């Protein structure tokens, strides 16, 4: 089932590897720390521990809650982690 060059010219393939834990921590801690800079002094250093715990929780859930035929909705990706951080970023003083 070969496709013609004309059909193949309409498609492309892109592959991206999943970011490592350290990359996720750097991305999300930068976002949280910049948000927490406007808060009181006791909350400012909490960005890194919150990020660390969130990334560790995401990694554990991704490893342990694998999709099965009965529970195919167990698909976790970086978007789920971003939604958690997005919720924290909505905090006000």
């Amino acid at each position: 089932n070969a496709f013609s060059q004309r059909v193949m010219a309409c498609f492309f393939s892109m592959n991206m590897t999943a970011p490592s834990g350290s990359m996720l921590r750097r991305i999300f801690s930068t976002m949280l720390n910049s948000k927490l800079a406007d808060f009181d002094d006791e909350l400012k250093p909490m960005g890194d521990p919150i990020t660390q715990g969130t990334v560790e929780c995401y990694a554990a859930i991704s490893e342990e809650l694998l999709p099965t035929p009965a529970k195919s909705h167990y698909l976790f990706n970086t978007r789920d982690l971003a939604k958690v951080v997005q919720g924290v970023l909505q905090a006000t003083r």
Side-chain angles (χ1 to χ4, degrees):
N1 295 347
F3 292 102
S4 69
Q5 288 290 6
R6 192 172 187 183
V7 171
M8 292 297 290
C10 297
F11 298 95
F12 71 95
S13 177
M14 183 171 73
N15 183 21
M16 295 176 60
T17 60
S20 66
S22 62
M23 291 170 72
L24 291 173
R25 281 190 295 278
R26 181 170 181 188
I27 292 167
F28 293 117
S29 67
T30 302
M31 293 167 62
L32 282 176
N33 287 330
S34 66
K35 173 69 174 183
L36 293 175
D38 298 335
F39 284 74
D40 295 334
D41 289 337
E42 57 201 21
L43 293 176
K44 287 181 182 180
M46 296 302 294
D48 291 330
I50 291 172
T51 305
Q52 179 72 25
T54 306
V55 170
E56 286 177 7
C57 184
Y58 165 73
I61 288 172
S62 296
E63 278 184 21
E64 293 181 22
L65 296 178
L66 298 174
T68 63
K71 297 180 181 176
S72 59
H73 60 280
Y74 282 179
L75 292 172
F76 299 99
N77 57 30
T78 312
R79 183 178 4 170
D80 301 315
L81 181 60
K83 290 283 188 182
V84 172
V85 174
Q86 183 181 16
V88 175
L89 291 176
Q90 292 179 356
T92 58
R93 287 186 62 181

